[in-house]
Amino acid sequence: RVSMGDKAVVSTQSTGAPSLVMAPDMTLKVRVSMGDKVVDEKLAVNSLERIADVKERIRQNFSLNKKRIRLICCGKILNDKTAIKDAKIPKNFLVQVIVNMDSE
């Protein structure tokens, strides 16, 4: 059992099953590059969320295929299993989101 103090709340998803939702504790600035289109966005995230969670939110916001999304910070591709806090993203730093727009 993990205690996160006031950083977590229980939510019921569409399946009706309770799930743990972490309250945001930081803002992540991302630049989404989709071919010729570039969009800057700020995401309220919890530092304990995984990079895969961020990718899922970007996928939902832009109706993209999650497998086509890569997050890059400080010249390295961020691993899906890494927690945001472990990725050591500097404060106010821009995370590049590259979307492979090639056809399947």
Side-chain angles (χ1 to χ4, degrees):
R1 182 175 173 162
V2 177
S3 173
M4 292 186 215
D6 61 349
K7 292 188 178 185
V9 295
V10 175
S11 169
T12 303
Q13 295 181 342
S14 59
T15 60
S19 66
L20 194 60
V21 177
M22 293 176 269
D25 63 0
M26 66 182 286
T27 300
L28 193 63
K29 296 190 320 187
V30 296
R31 175 168 290 155
V32 183
S33 301
M34 302 170 286
D36 293 339
K37 185 178 178 184
V38 177
V39 178
D40 286 352
E41 187 167 304
K42 292 182 180 180
L43 300 174
V45 297
N46 186 288
S47 59
L48 298 176
E49 286 183 81
R50 294 174 302 127
I51 297 300
D53 300 325
V54 174
K55 285 171 106 174
E56 177 60 23
R57 293 190 19 216
I58 292 168
R59 183 199 68 75
Q60 291 175 352
N61 291 353
F62 293 94
S63 300
L64 299 169
N65 181 333
K66 188 170 154 181
K67 292 181 181 180
R68 296 180 175 271
I69 300 171
R70 299 287 179 266
L71 272 61
I72 301 172
C73 183
C74 301
K76 62 182 179 179
I77 296 175
L78 303 178
N79 184 305
D80 285 356
K81 295 178 183 178
T82 303
I84 294 169
K85 69 179 181 97
D86 295 333
K88 296 181 174 52
I89 300 169
K91 187 174 182 170
N92 296 321
F93 206 80
L94 185 70
V95 176
Q96 295 286 332
V97 180
I98 308 299
V99 180
N100 179 356
M101 299 301 288
D102 291 337
S103 62
E104 294 181 357

